[in-house]
Amino acid sequence: MASLPHLFPRGTVKREDYVYPREVKGSRAFNGPPRDRIPHSKDLIRQIKSIEAAGEEVNDKQNVDRTDAIRGKVLEFSGAVGFDLKSDSLGYRTSRIELRSVRRDEDGRIHATVFVPDGQMGFFIKRCEQYATELGSGKKPRPRHQDLIEGISQIRLASLKSFWSDAGSFPAEEDIEYWWELWLSSENEPEVASLFQADARSLGITVATEKLRFPERMVVLARASANQLKSIPNLFEHLAEVRLAKLLSSELLELPAVDQAEYIDEALERITVAVPASPSVCHLDTGVNRAHPLLQQSIDENHVLTVNPSWSASDRVGHGTEMAGIALYGCLTEVLNQTHVISLSHRIESVKIMGLGTTSDPALWGAMTQQAANRIAIASPENNCRSFCLTVTAQARDEGYPSSWSAAIDQSAAAMDEESSHRLFIISAGNLSIEQRREYPDRNFVEGIEDPGQSWNAITVGGYTEKQSIRQSGLEEWERLAVGGSLSPASRTSRIWEDKSWPIKPEIVMEAGNMLRNPTTGDADFADDLSLLTTRLDHNGSLLTTTGDTSAAAALASRFAARLWAEYPRLWPETIRALIVHSATWTEAMHQMVQGTSRETLLRTFGYGVPNFDSASRSANHSATMIIESQIQPFVKTTARVKTKDMHFHRLPWPSEVLADLGESEVRLKITLSYFIQPSPGRRGWTKKHRYQSHGLRFDVKRPADTDEEFRKRLTASAREEDEGYQSDRDDRKWVMGRNLRCKGSVHSDTWIGTAADLAAANLVAVVPVTGWWKERPHLGYHDSETRYALIISIETDDVQTDLYTPIENAIAISTII
């Protein structure tokens, strides 16, 4: 799958002037190297027959007789540098020929491992012969299997390195023991894990008892050298992928301080820090201990500040330093257990807002947060790509209603002061107490988001967890509270909010760690293996600790935003927020947890789900994302009153012909609209006149049967002739959320699912204003204000061979020239 930059249409709001150019339909042509048919076919046949002859000796050593086993060989097919390999055509289920894995090496060459049962090698010989001697049908017949055969440059018996699918290079030291993560194929042998465990243990190899089951795959852990792995009988018959196991937190924490330092020193040799002008995460926390070796080079000494000038900027509590490590690296097990170079694309900053032993009037937290944001803006004015990570929260007694703190954040984000710039705040949803977590998950559903997580303009981050593996001794009888992919035991939700008109909170969830249940008392307790490894600096010399909960989730989300800004440094904060929400999806475990409830319950538990960085940052041929940033004036004052003013129609560069050719195939259209409101937090009943939000925006899409004029008439009375009647029906059947649910807050996201034929003509998207205090209270003088918004549009099909991206890209290029 190609990794492509997102698309940026220009001038789309000029609805009458834009002419969509007709593009050549169809998918991107297969990119194969030029071949001389007969010599190339003969060469591949020779390689296959050589493998058959040489492989018998290997099989005699590798295999143990099992009458019920499918015997065979694993071949490695390699393409040419810079060209495609038609890997999907290498498998053939009827003959039990199985494609095991595909990887691309550093030179851009594609390699595929394929299991071929004994007696089935002739399948590929026949394909080569047909390519050399036969033509297909059609007006311009091509050699049969041309794309498959011409893409193959070499065929050989697979080695252990052929199965490598991890980051970096295969470990060079083949006699050193590692914990390996072995992905075994269960397609032909459901009990493959048990068979592997028996074979490995017969050689004295340590194998973890636990295993993970996925469709067509089983995952086991084994501690061995590469040479020991090669000696395991029948290994290649079952092996699909090889990775280094993730080093769990407890194993590093159990090391003496001097050994922790050695791990960190080794990692530092592989880490390249970002330059000073890079995007950053600014921590509003207990401070950061900059002296930590993993942090020092990524945080300027002038960017370690305090909101109170009399405080020390150092972190005497430890929390801020822990979050800084997460925001910079993610979980450190991913850093310390690798051997490849790590190039950081962002930096960190700190403004201490909580001093050790200090107390503050809760009413001042909003002011302190604004002061902190202003201090770092003054210290580093050139940085316009900064996410503020706020992990300090107060009691959850607001039930979604704005507080002074949440309103102050909304105000700071929206830049009500003309001299300031828009800001992106990322806030933790707040945590349950340890005592409450024994009642997981029921207690999580009735404990609301903590203040200031109800902020409209911020991204509020809840917690979920994929943490399941434990190798700590003495915990064998302890039960994991959360299943993989489900709600973290720490996380709060907005399900309890009685007034459902307030924004969807949290917007997203990130990894927050899991917990165990004490089999004797039933209490919840932490386990290092189920937490995230991060930085610490204490008097004992320890450099590592574990952390978790929604503070860590918020730090991970802040890191996500900073990395996204590194890809697209000119994007607005509103747009970064939109891309994060746009990329989020729910896991199957999330659906199961709320089964039988409403879609809103799913949203108020998990937000829009777990963001995916690849989706947020890159498009693909079959999944194209367009980004539009624009400004609109919602209202205008006439002599009589303040009324709505602008509505925007975006005529998009659309792959109409490709969609039409797909016909009844299912496609997905996802749209996310993000803008910042200006708050009016005075609690005066939240009536029409005293709405909290300054304005609102909504999006709509032209329906398949609409003409442009019908679409306009459906949206606004101003588009209709005087006294003309018009029936504006609501059809939300194909939208996952529907307009009533997606319109809460100031970020709206929804997905339309239907046929490609229906989507082919839906290339017109509207953004329209709805009322707010800017309109209803003209005496405040904001009625003629403009507002910015970001609009993200994605079209996706499951058919990876379909090229939706190129027609859009070409249309943008043509419109730019015009």
Side-chain angles (χ1 to χ4, degrees), residues 394-409:
Q395 292 177 330
R397 61 174 184 261
D398 299 288
E399 295 293 320
Y401 286 78
S403 68
S404 61
W405 196 357
S406 70
I409 289 171

Side-chain angles (χ1 to χ4, degrees), residues 257-275:
V258 63
D259 292 336
Q260 290 183 12
E262 289 183 6
Y263 263 95
I264 290 171
D265 288 341
E266 187 279 333
L268 287 171
E269 295 179 0
R270 298 182 283 107
I271 295 172
T272 302
V273 300
V275 298

Side-chain angles (χ1 to χ4, degrees), residues 408-452:
I409 289 171
D410 286 338
Q411 187 179 60
S412 186
M416 289 186 73
D417 179 358
E418 293 183 358
E419 295 182 359
S420 61
S421 58
H422 291 65
R423 293 167 175 164
L424 179 62
F425 285 86
I426 297 176
I427 305 173
S428 62
N431 305 311
L432 272 65
S433 68
I434 300 299
E435 294 75 19
Q436 292 172 326
R437 300 183 196 186
R438 65 174 292 148
E439 301 174 45
Y440 173 87
D442 294 341
R443 193 62 179 266
N444 302 72
F445 300 156
V446 297
E447 295 293 334
I449 301 291
E450 291 193 310
D451 187 25

Side-chain angles (χ1 to χ4, degrees), residues 571-788:
L571 292 183
W572 296 339
E574 299 96 319
T575 315
I576 295 294
R577 177 175 71 153
L579 283 170
I580 293 173
V581 170
H582 192 80
S583 72
T585 56
W586 299 297
T587 67
E588 182 59 34
M590 294 175 186
H591 284 288
Q592 291 177 0
M593 176 170 272
V594 299
Q595 193 171 16
T597 62
S598 67
R599 183 70 70 181
E600 183 163 3
T601 301
L602 177 65
L603 279 170
R604 293 198 176 276
T605 306
F606 301 104
Y608 292 93
V610 186
N612 180 285
F613 188 79
D614 289 340
S615 297
S617 61
R618 309 296 285 179
S619 290
N621 284 327
H622 72 291
S623 178
T625 294
M626 291 174 272
I627 300 175
I628 295 172
E629 293 177 330
S630 190
Q631 292 191 183
I632 189 171
Q633 183 177 333
F635 313 114
V636 64
K637 187 176 182 179
T638 66
T639 55
R641 59 190 175 92
V642 177
K643 65 177 186 178
T644 55
K645 182 178 186 292
D646 291 339
M647 58 185 300
H648 284 180
F649 288 92
H650 292 277
R651 188 174 299 280
L652 301 170
W654 213 243
S656 301
E657 293 189 16
V658 177
L659 291 169
D661 286 345
L662 289 175
E664 297 302 306
S665 300
E666 182 181 282
V667 293
R668 292 173 295 280
L669 168 69
K670 189 168 187 178
I671 297 182
T672 301
L673 172 67
S674 172
Y675 55 98
F676 288 163
I677 58 97
Q678 292 186 357
S680 177
R683 294 195 178 187
R684 288 178 282 183
W686 309 117
T687 60
K688 179 179 179 181
K689 185 175 182 179
H690 298 294
R691 294 177 188 273
Y692 176 73
Q693 70 274 26
S694 53
H695 64 286
L697 299 178
R698 303 289 185 265
F699 72 80
D700 207 342
V701 183
K702 178 184 172 185
R703 295 175 185 169
D706 280 348
T707 65
D708 289 358
E709 192 65 13
E710 287 171 338
F711 178 45
R712 294 176 63 242
K713 289 180 178 180
R714 179 162 58 84
L715 288 174
T716 175
S718 65
R720 306 171 199 160
E721 294 294 333
E722 188 175 353
D723 298 327
E724 178 187 0
Y726 190 82
Q727 180 65 35
S728 180
D729 63 312
R730 291 190 171 187
D731 181 8
D732 289 332
R733 288 174 296 175
K734 293 182 178 180
W735 289 95
V736 173
M737 300 299 169
R739 68 185 68 205
N740 290 333
L741 184 54
R742 73 183 179 221
C743 68
K744 301 176 189 294
S746 60
V747 58
H748 315 307
S749 187
D750 207 351
T751 301
W752 180 91
I753 302 173
T755 67
D758 281 348
L759 188 61
N763 66 327
L764 201 59
V765 177
V767 175
V768 299
V770 295
T771 194
W773 63 262
W774 278 358
K775 177 179 183 291
E776 304 297 340
R777 294 152 72 186
H779 63 278
L780 296 178
Y782 285 89
H783 45 74
D784 59 353
S785 298
E786 290 190 344
T787 185
R788 309 192 313 190

